[in-house]
Amino acid sequence: MATQRRRREVVVGIFLLITAVLVDSAQARTSLTLSDKSNNIEFARASRGTVKTIQMKSSFLDEGESHLQGLPAELEEWGVDCPEGTVPIIRKTSENVPDIKDYVPSFFVDDVKSLHNKSFPVFASYNKGHEYAVVQTIGKGTFRGGQAIHNVWTPHTETGEASISQIWIYAGPDETVNTVEAGWAVDASSGTSRFFTYWTSDGYKSSGPGFVQTSKYYGPGSTISSTSTYNGKQFEINIQIRQDLSTQHWWLRLNDMDIGYWPGSIFNSLRGGADGVYWGGEIYNSEKNGQHTTTQMGSGHFPRDGYYTKSSFIRNLAYILNNGPMQPVPKAALVTYVSKPQCYDLVMGPSGLNFGTHFYFGGPGLSSQCPK
């Protein structure tokens, strides 16, 4: 009996040891996540052998499930094998690719004039070429984060242009506004939808390396391989940006997993919190041949053409206000702005749905309704 008892104890001990190893390995895998943008595949792939140790984590507690109701959109992995505790670091691989961590559509990189003009009405009075369908928070207070679920599409885009769905968190005066931004974007050079980030600390006059990646599986320009279809399956991503008060860093979370952060040190106004949050769509219209672009926003359809499964939406809007918890955004706390409703429009969704505060947006661009 004593011999059998000792054997059982040994077997149980081995089982517990194996279980602990498996659980630890699973937790290690789930603590690493998704990332950012690129305007071609060459940029999205990190060169082998370039690594950097990044072991910093946010101080946030896990806040539960993503509440995705469509299918979770999949992102393609880099396919780069990195040593444990390290992540791929982007390096310039051609003369046509910028040596920056944050992916931005090509018009932000190549067209300096467009870069300077990228703004909202609250950021500057002049926003030639950029058209929006967005909602904005109103009221006073200090914002420490924002969140929403976006369904993902691959709208048509003309060469040198882009179509975007994103969240912006901003602070400071128009001329030197600070922003952190994330979402999905499609530009003609790739023809695919990619996850992206962007930031500025001087009113879009310049940008550069800044986002610190903490994921070893995904990086700037990661392709979103599953996207929504008209009147068909819907694929979604849940994007959250929030400030860690202990470090002043702005952490980015995709589908409930931290993927990296913008250090507080690269900002001035945003270091102390944000003035507000935007969600919505943006396109760049280069007005080739003197006519409006055919670049589509969202699904390429107006909200009035049909809602769920037919129009691009952003739902379950939430924010952190005055150091409180992440909480749903009331409709009364938002205003809408549509720069050219005959080309791209926005409609707030009805109350009482499990979509929370949400809206539909988008349009076809040049059409019988959108003037040349």
Side-chain angles (χ1 to χ4, degrees), residues 218-246:
Y218 301 92
S222 290
T223 299
I224 303 176
S225 54
S226 49
T227 58
S228 303
T229 55
Y230 184 79
N231 209 25
K233 291 182 179 179
Q234 301 299 295
F235 292 89
E236 303 178 320
I237 54 175
N238 189 354
I239 301 172
Q240 179 191 99
I241 301 174
R242 62 186 300 175
Q243 188 175 34
D244 188 333
L245 297 182
S246 65

Side-chain angles (χ1 to χ4, degrees), residues 28-29 31-36 44-57 78-91 101 210-220 222 251 258-261:
R29 287 195 301 274
S31 68
L32 299 166
T33 347
L34 321 175
S35 202
D36 243 312
R45 302 279 177 178
S47 56
R48 291 181 181 272
T50 40
V51 297
K52 178 180 180 180
T53 301
I54 303 238
Q55 296 178 329
M56 190 170 180
K57 295 182 180 180
W78 261 345
V80 177
D81 297 325
C82 297
E84 193 64 33
T86 66
V87 298
I89 296 299
I90 298 168
R91 293 289 180 258
K101 284 188 178 180
F211 183 79
V212 179
Q213 181 188 331
T214 58
S215 165
K216 67 180 287 186
Y217 298 117
Y218 301 92
S222 290
W251 277 86
D258 291 329
I259 67 172
Y261 62 93

Side-chain angles (χ1 to χ4, degrees), residues 154-190:
T154 51
H156 162 75
T157 60
E158 290 193 18
T159 302
E161 299 180 357
S163 184
I164 302 170
S165 173
Q166 70 176 91
I167 176 175
W168 298 258
I169 295 181
Y170 70 92
D174 295 353
E175 298 77 14
T176 57
V177 70
N178 292 196
T179 73
V180 287
E181 310 171 17
W184 60 261
V186 177
D187 68 284
S189 64
S190 67

Side-chain angles (χ1 to χ4, degrees), residues 30 79 90 109 141 175-176 197 202 206-207 210 223 226 228 240 250 261 274 276 289 299 317 324 345 352 364 369:
T30 56
I90 298 168
V109 175
E175 298 77 14
T176 57
T197 70
D202 59 4
S206 62
S207 188
T223 299
S226 49
S228 303
Q240 179 191 99
W250 288 89
Y261 62 93
N289 302 317
S299 69
L317 273 61
D345 207 356
Q369 302 173 68

Side-chain angles (χ1 to χ4, degrees), residues 250-303:
W250 288 89
W251 277 86
L252 175 61
R253 179 173 283 197
L254 180 60
N255 293 347
D256 294 317
M257 293 183 287
D258 291 329
I259 67 172
Y261 62 93
W262 294 273
S265 59
I266 66 176
F267 301 108
N268 38 63
S269 300
L270 264 180
R271 199 176 307 173
D275 296 335
V277 186
Y278 280 94
W279 296 265
E282 174 185 1
I283 65 95
Y284 175 58
N285 175 19
S286 61
E287 298 182 350
K288 295 176 183 176
N289 302 317
Q291 68 178 21
H292 194 281
T293 182
T294 60
T295 289
Q296 300 173 338
M297 180 187 292
S299 69
H301 292 268
F302 290 111

